[in-house]
């Protein structure tokens, strides 16, 4: 098979030589790889990464094989190797010489940055990857489908453990674009390739070590072995304790250790345990080498939680492919001073809801405090329906307190875990490839009929269809005539010049006004860039003029997006039936000439976001902010309670609260909206996670259970945005302050002075009583338990009360001394957030990457001319949607 592949015209091979420059020593690490190659694909030059690691260009003819730079780079990614990429329309192999004397096991990492490149549609990047022509790593892989959220600079890394046989001197990595015929142009691409040698028995079984074993969760035996005929895929590598360990801080093998919350940890209780005693790990009493995991993994951990009073399992959830066997490695190290001997801390471990360890005692395993240890397990995952089709299923890891009836008075009723690794094990068919996390429809080869076959059957087909065709033509003519008369009778305008393409959408004509593409082009001067007032992942927004004088906002969706098409149809069906003073009205739509366009009423002052941060607009006074929030809350209350079928907006955020010429707030963008739960016994809608990062309800994110209270949580984030004048997520800040919700909670818990929380513009205009009311409302909206959050009706009531406080304060006459006594001039959080009856709780949010796209610019100067210029604001308004 290898010879036939080499002789294929569409197959090309390159050999990378002169690798000596890349094999530099890593003196600060506990493992020095014998082989360390990093390839900067699509570049003819070497590049140095931020960690001083050299990435070599792949150096071959760029005319034959295309090298590209991202044309849409929302975060201005400058990190090697994501600044360039290599593209292939036919099979292509990297043949890399591997000269390792003492080691035959390597890490292979494939780096992908799925974004827009010149003349390349990301949806057509569908390909497979094989190693040495016999091991399948990826099949019909599309990197865009692996993104947690769209167009935000997220990169995808696929990591494998590959065995190099003694008689093999080359590692062949073959990229195979999906192919049907010349009319279907799919392609493959790659940004970077890493090959790093690894210790022989880091994950593989040492058959000579009689003390090492892997416990099978399925059978309960300990005789399972991972031998060198297997390949492994690293699916998850997590540092338990909410601290990420980047590749540069690994033990020399450039592994990345993700933080565990909130992506994987089901519920967080304060606090993650961390070693503060300055002790050093003790490897002398243990057989585990010091390169097995970084020290930071062993010195951070999760326990049961200091303030946890209810009985629960500490649980991590990981989505994996069914029909594969997985190695689960759990890392442990007792570093708390109170835990000194066997029996001090004992707990149980469940993997995939099966008891894996009935009596887990880390001191018993390791022999002493501060001695690292790990335990390995294997579990086979099956599809939920029992079918042979590979599906995505949940693999859970649960730590449970030892049952109280076990007779041991000495032990602490607590649990401990420091790190998790989950690796997929290849089967007999030499395959590691699973499905994409989101479905993708591909034409099958047998569906393609050759031109020659069509010619041979022309006469037969004509004979078979000519008679019924005549009758069909008659029916169509009559039907078209009746349809034309009907439309003419109802005054629907026809444009004889249009070439309408209905595509896959069938839009009911009675929902709202239909615009032809000719009318839309006339309204925007053929989509002239000067009329662009907004840009987002969906496409451009133009200011247009219809019927001679009516201003409108015209949202032109990007072509070819099935997700966009679904949102397009959803928004038409919803908004055409909803009318409320605090909802943006849909004027009409266009589904013509492959275009999907929505036409809205024009909102003169743009988004709420751009009056908080990210623009040069004057900041809004406190009273006006409350009025805007009250209007938006009324709009959401209408969706939740005043329509026939409850509607969950699912994308509440400050950029979706628009302001008209009178500064009236209106909720917009219903592309992700969903009809809420129906029936008395139904509490939620089970659906995949969609929304905007930083605003997602943690319960919805973790369990895919969407409720009306999910909107309430998102609105709570908006409340903090309005108060603090900063985005929910700021990647450039340190971890403690990057998340607005976490930062606010930390300040609340620690009693930080109010000057560090509230927008400085508001400090002299918001009173203590109003601030107390407002913060209590925000905290209640952000409760980690959705059932404890208020309804939007209650939110409306609380905002009306806060606004009434402002009105009363403005109407009262009091002296300067009284004013200085009442206004918040630097109090602590504890002084106004300590009501005993309050059961308010913050849920910690996760820090995601943030877009730098700008939102709608304002076209008119702010009317509050007496307001001084605010401090410079450098944040971005735009938040990207997430599809998981």
């Amino acid at each position: 098979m290898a010879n036939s592949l080499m002789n294929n015209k569409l197959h090309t091979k390159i050999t990378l030589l002169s690798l000596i420059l890349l094999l530099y020593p890593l003196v600060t690490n506990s493992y020095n790889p014998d082989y360390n190659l990093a390839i900067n694909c699509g570049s003819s030059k070497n590049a140095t990464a931020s960690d001083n690691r050299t990435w070599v260009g792949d150096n071959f003819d760029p005319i034959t094989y295309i090298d590209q730079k991202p044309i849409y780079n929302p975060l201005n990614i400058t990190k090697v190797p994501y600044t360039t990429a290599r593209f292939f329309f036919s099979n292509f192999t990297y043949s890399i010489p591997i000269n390792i004397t003492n080691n035959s096991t390597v890490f292979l990492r494939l780096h992908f940055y799925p974004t827009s490149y010149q003349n390349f549609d990301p949806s057509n990047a569908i390909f497979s990857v094989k190693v040495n022509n016999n091991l399948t790593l990826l099949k019909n892989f599309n990197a865009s489908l692996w993104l947690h959220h769209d167009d935000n600079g997220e990169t995808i890394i696929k990591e494998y453990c590959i065995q190099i046989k003694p008689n093999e001197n080359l590692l062949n990595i073959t990229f195979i674009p999906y192919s049907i015929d010349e009319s279907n142009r799919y392609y493959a691409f790659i940004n970077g390739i890493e090959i790093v040698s690894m210790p022989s028995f880091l994950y593989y079984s040492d058959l000579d070590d009689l003390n090492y074993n892997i416990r099978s969760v399925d059978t309960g035996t300990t005789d399972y072995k991972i031998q060198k005929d297997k390949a492994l895929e690293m699916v998850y590598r997590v540092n338990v304790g909410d601290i990420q360990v980047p590749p540069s801080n690994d033990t020399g093998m450039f592994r990345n250790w993700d933080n565990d919350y909130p992506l994987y940890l089901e519920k967080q209780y304060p606090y993650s345990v961390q070693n503060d005693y300055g002790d050093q790990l003790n490897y002398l009493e243990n057989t585990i080498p010091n390169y097995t995991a970084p020290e930071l993994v062993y010195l951070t951990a999760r326990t049961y939680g200091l303030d946890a009073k209810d009985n629960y399992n500490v649980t991590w959830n990981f989505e994996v492919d069914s029909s594969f066997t997985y190695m689960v490695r759990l890392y442990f190290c007792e570093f708390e001073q109170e835990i000194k001997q066997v029996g001090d801390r004992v707990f149980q471990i469940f993997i995939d809801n099966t008891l894996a360890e009935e009596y887990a005692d880390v001191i018993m395993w390791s022999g002493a405090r501060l001695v690292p240890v790990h335990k390995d397990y294997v579990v086979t995952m099956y599809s939920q329906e029992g079918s042979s089709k590979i599906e995505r299923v949940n693999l859970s890891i649960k730590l449970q307190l030892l049952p109280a009836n076990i007779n041991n008075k000495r032990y602490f009723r607590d649990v401990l875990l420091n790190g998790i690794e989950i690796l997929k094990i290849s089967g007999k068919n030499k395959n590691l490839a699973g499905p994409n996390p989101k479905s993708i429809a591909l034409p099958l080869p047998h569906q393609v009929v050759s031109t020659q076959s069509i010619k041979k059957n022309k006469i037969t087909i004509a004979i078979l269809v000519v008679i019924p065709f005549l009758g069909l033509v008659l029916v169509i003519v009559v039907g078209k005539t009746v349809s034309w008369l009907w439309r003419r009778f109802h005054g629907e305008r026809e444009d004889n010049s249009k070439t309408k393409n209905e595509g896959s959408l069938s839009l009911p004509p009675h929902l709202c006004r239909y615009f032809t593409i000719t009318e839309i082009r006339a309204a925007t001067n053929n989509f002239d860039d000067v009329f662009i007032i907004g840009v987002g992942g969906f496409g451009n927004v133009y200011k247009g003029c219809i019927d001679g004088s009516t201003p409108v906002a015209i949202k032109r969706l990007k072509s070819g997006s099935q997700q966009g098409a679904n949102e397009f149809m959803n928004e038409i069906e919803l908004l055409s039936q909803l009318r409320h003073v605090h909802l943006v009205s849909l004027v009409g739509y266009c589904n013509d000439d492959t275009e999907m366009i929505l036409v809205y009423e024009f909102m003169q002052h743009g988004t709420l976001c751009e009056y908080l941060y990210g623009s040069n607009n004057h900041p809004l006074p406190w009273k006006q902010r409350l009025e805007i929030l009250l209007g938006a809350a009324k709009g959401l209350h209408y969706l939740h309670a005043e329509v026939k079928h409850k509607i969950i907006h699912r994308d509440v955020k400050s950029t979706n609260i628009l302001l008209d010429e009178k500064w009236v707030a209106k909720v917009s963008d219903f592309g992700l909206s969903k009809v809420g739960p129906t029936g008395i016994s139904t509490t939620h809608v089970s659906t995949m996670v969609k929304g905007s990062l930083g605003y997602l309800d943690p319960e919805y994110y973790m369990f895919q259970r969407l409720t009306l209270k999910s909107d309430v949580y998102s609105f709570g984030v908006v409340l903090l945005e309005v108060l603090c004048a900063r985005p929910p997520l700021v990647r450039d800040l340190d971890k403690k302050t990057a998340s607005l919700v976490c930062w606010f909670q930390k300040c609340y818990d620690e009693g930080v002075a109010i000057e560090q929380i509230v927008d400085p513009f508001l400090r002299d205009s918001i009173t203590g009583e109003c601030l107390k009311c407002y913060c209590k409302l925000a905290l209640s909206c952000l409760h980690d338990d959705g059932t404890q959050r208020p309804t939007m009706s209650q939110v409306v009531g609380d905002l009306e009360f806060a606004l009434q406080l402002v009105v009363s304060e403005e109407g009262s006459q009091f002296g300067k001394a009284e004013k200085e006594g009442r206004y918040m001039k630097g109090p602590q959080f504890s002084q106004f957030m300590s009501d005993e009856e309050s059961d308010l709780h913050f849920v910690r949010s996760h820090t995601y990457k943030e877009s730098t796209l700008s939102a709608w610019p304002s076209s008119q100067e702010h009317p509050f001319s007496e307001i001084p210029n605010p401090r410079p604001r450098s944040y971005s308004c735009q938040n990207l949607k997430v599809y998981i």
Side-chain angles (χ1 to χ4, degrees), residues 822-841:
R822 290 185 57 193
Y823 276 69
M824 302 301 294
K825 294 283 189 179
Q828 305 294 316
F829 260 96
S830 58
Q831 292 177 337
F832 66 89
M833 295 297 295
S834 58
D835 287 2
E836 293 181 359
E837 71 277 5
S838 177
D839 185 26
L840 306 178
H841 179 71

Side-chain angles (χ1 to χ4, degrees), residues 121-128 138-143 145 176-181 184-187 389 434-436 438-448 562:
D121 184 350
S123 63
N124 288 336
I126 303 172
F127 55 94
S128 301
L138 298 169
K139 185 175 182 180
N140 296 337
F141 171 75
N142 183 283
L145 300 178
I176 308 169
Y178 188 82
S179 178
I180 297 296
D181 56 20
N184 293 274
R185 298 287 285 174
Y186 297 97
Y187 66 91
K389 181 181 178 182
N436 292 300
K438 304 170 195 174
S439 61
I440 182 171
L442 290 174
L444 300 177
H446 70 267
Q447 294 176 322
V448 179
Q562 183 59 44

Side-chain angles (χ1 to χ4, degrees), residues 302-374:
R302 291 276 180 196
T303 63
Y304 197 71
L306 298 180
D307 65 345
K309 297 179 177 59
D310 54 337
N311 193 16
Y312 75 103
N313 294 329
V314 184
T315 304
W316 293 262
N317 293 298
F318 301 93
E319 191 176 64
V320 298
D321 298 328
S322 65
S323 304
F324 285 94
T325 298
Y326 293 86
M327 171 185 171
V328 178
R329 172 168 290 181
L330 304 181
Y331 291 87
F332 302 94
C333 182
E334 281 286 9
F335 54 76
E336 289 192 89
Q337 291 181 337
E338 295 82 0
I339 310 297
K340 299 178 181 179
Q341 55 187 323
V342 173
D344 280 355
R345 187 193 329 245
V346 185
F347 53 96
Q348 295 182 334
I349 301 174
F350 292 80
I351 298 177
D352 191 32
N353 295 318
T354 302
L355 183 63
E357 293 288 350
E358 185 176 7
Y359 198 85
D361 188 327
V362 177
I363 295 290
M364 182 175 63
W365 292 337
S366 64
R369 179 174 164 269
L370 289 170
V371 176
V373 66
H374 64 69

Side-chain angles (χ1 to χ4, degrees), residues 620-623 625-626 629 719 722-724 744 754-755 757-776 802-803 805-806 809-810 814 819-827 832:
L620 302 175
W622 178 238
K623 178 183 177 183
R625 297 190 197 194
L626 288 176
L629 288 170
L719 290 174
V722 170
L723 179 66
C724 304
F744 196 83
I754 195 62
E755 284 90 341
I757 305 299
V758 175
D759 180 2
F761 177 78
L762 300 176
R763 289 174 186 166
D764 295 332
S765 60
I766 179 171
T767 65
E769 186 177 1
C770 183
L771 185 60
K772 176 180 177 180
C773 170
Y774 187 90
C775 290
K776 287 179 64 176
L803 186 59
L805 289 176
V806 175
E809 290 156 1
E810 287 181 348
F814 46 83
K819 178 179 178 181
E820 291 177 349
R822 290 185 57 193
Y823 276 69
M824 302 301 294
K825 294 283 189 179
F832 66 89

Side-chain angles (χ1 to χ4, degrees), residues 178-451:
Y178 188 82
S179 178
I180 297 296
D181 56 20
E182 289 300 319
S183 63
N184 293 274
R185 298 287 285 174
Y186 297 97
Y187 66 91
F189 81 100
I190 182 71
N191 295 88
I193 300 173
E194 281 184 82
I195 303 171
V196 180
S197 61
M198 58 188 290
S200 295
F201 305 114
L202 180 63
Y203 301 115
Y204 291 89
S205 301
D206 183 356
L207 301 181
D208 296 328
D209 185 358
L210 300 180
N211 295 320
Y212 172 74
N213 60 71
I214 304 178
R215 179 182 294 275
S216 171
V217 176
D218 305 313
T219 64
T221 61
T222 58
D223 56 355
Y224 191 94
K225 305 295 182 184
I226 301 179
Q227 303 195 40
K228 292 188 176 182
D229 61 338
K230 302 291 187 182
L232 306 176
E233 178 185 355
M234 194 288 296
V235 187
Y236 297 98
R237 181 179 291 121
V238 176
N239 177 32
V240 173
D242 205 21
I243 296 178
Q244 181 185 7
V245 182
S248 58
N249 291 345
D250 190 37
T251 58
M253 291 171 276
F254 305 102
R255 296 171 297 176
N256 180 66
W257 299 76
D258 290 329
N259 51 337
D260 65 336
Y261 183 79
L263 288 178
Y264 312 117
L265 182 66
E266 188 171 285
K267 190 173 185 178
Q268 175 173 263
Y269 280 82
Y271 292 93
S272 298
V273 178
Q274 185 168 337
N275 183 10
D276 294 324
Y277 313 116
D279 295 324
Q280 297 295 317
L281 296 179
N282 182 359
Y283 288 99
L284 298 178
E285 299 184 25
N286 201 340
T287 58
I288 294 180
N290 60 355
Y291 54 68
T292 306
E295 288 196 3
L296 190 58
V297 172
Y298 293 120
L299 294 177
T300 55
R302 291 276 180 196
T303 63
Y304 197 71
L306 298 180
D307 65 345
K309 297 179 177 59
D310 54 337
N311 193 16
Y312 75 103
N313 294 329
V314 184
T315 304
W316 293 262
N317 293 298
F318 301 93
E319 191 176 64
V320 298
D321 298 328
S322 65
S323 304
F324 285 94
T325 298
Y326 293 86
M327 171 185 171
V328 178
R329 172 168 290 181
L330 304 181
Y331 291 87
F332 302 94
C333 182
E334 281 286 9
F335 54 76
E336 289 192 89
Q337 291 181 337
E338 295 82 0
I339 310 297
K340 299 178 181 179
Q341 55 187 323
V342 173
D344 280 355
R345 187 193 329 245
V346 185
F347 53 96
Q348 295 182 334
I349 301 174
F350 292 80
I351 298 177
D352 191 32
N353 295 318
T354 302
L355 183 63
E357 293 288 350
E358 185 176 7
Y359 198 85
D361 188 327
V362 177
I363 295 290
M364 182 175 63
W365 292 337
S366 64
R369 179 174 164 269
L370 289 170
V371 176
V373 66
H374 64 69
K375 301 291 285 185
D376 292 341
Y377 310 86
V378 293
V379 58
T380 302
M381 302 300 295
Y382 300 95
S383 65
Q384 295 177 347
E385 302 300 328
S387 67
S388 59
K389 181 181 178 182
I390 299 177
E391 301 172 352
R392 302 287 284 176
V393 295
N394 180 60
L395 193 165
S396 64
I397 299 171
K398 298 180 181 179
L399 306 185
Q400 186 178 86
L401 297 177
L402 201 65
N405 59 1
I406 293 182
N407 186 20
N408 187 341
K409 298 181 180 179
R410 289 183 55 255
Y411 72 86
F412 291 88
R413 298 199 74 229
D414 203 353
V415 302
L416 178 78
L417 183 60
N418 301 72
I420 300 171
E421 281 188 290
I422 300 177
L423 296 98
K424 183 193 294 185
I425 304 172
S426 64
K428 294 180 180 180
N429 57 354
K430 299 290 184 180
N431 176 57
L432 283 170
N436 292 300
K438 304 170 195 174
S439 61
I440 182 171
L442 290 174
L444 300 177
H446 70 267
Q447 294 176 322
V448 179
V449 183
S450 67
T451 305

Side-chain angles (χ1 to χ4, degrees), residues 621-774:
W622 178 238
K623 178 183 177 183
Q624 191 171 21
R625 297 190 197 194
L626 288 176
E627 291 171 342
I628 290 169
L629 288 170
L630 178 59
K634 289 180 177 179
L636 291 173
H637 170 61
Y638 169 78
L639 297 176
H640 288 190
E642 297 182 3
V643 294
K644 182 178 181 181
H645 298 293
K646 299 175 181 178
I647 295 173
I648 305 172
H649 186 280
R650 206 160 45 152
D651 200 17
V652 176
K653 56 184 178 180
S654 59
T655 51
N656 282 341
I657 298 175
L658 305 185
L659 308 171
D660 68 7
E661 70 281 358
K662 296 181 180 179
W663 300 91
V664 174
K666 301 193 178 189
V667 179
S668 70
D669 198 345
F670 293 79
L672 300 183
S673 299
K674 199 169 185 68
V675 175
T678 57
I680 298 176
S681 61
T682 306
T683 59
H684 66 272
V685 177
S686 296
T687 180
M688 66 186 298
V689 177
K690 297 182 180 181
S692 292
L693 299 167
Y695 298 88
L696 284 174
D697 171 15
E699 283 192 336
Y700 174 37
Y701 185 85
M702 296 298 295
F703 306 113
Q704 290 79 54
R705 295 177 179 177
L706 181 68
T707 67
L708 296 173
K709 298 298 182 69
S710 299
D711 280 352
V712 175
Y713 180 90
S714 301
F715 192 78
V717 179
V718 175
L719 290 174
L720 294 189
E721 275 188 277
V722 170
L723 179 66
C724 304
R726 57 151 285 186
L729 298 171
V730 183
R731 296 176 62 253
D732 296 335
L733 297 178
D734 62 74
K735 190 168 185 177
K736 294 181 180 179
T737 57
S739 166
L740 176 58
V741 174
C742 291
W743 177 58
F744 196 83
Q745 180 190 21
K746 183 175 184 295
C747 293
Y748 162 63
D749 291 340
E750 297 178 359
V752 174
I754 195 62
E755 284 90 341
Q756 299 182 32
I757 305 299
V758 175
D759 180 2
F761 177 78
L762 300 176
R763 289 174 186 166
D764 295 332
S765 60
I766 179 171
T767 65
E769 186 177 1
C770 183
L771 185 60
K772 176 180 177 180
C773 170
Y774 187 90

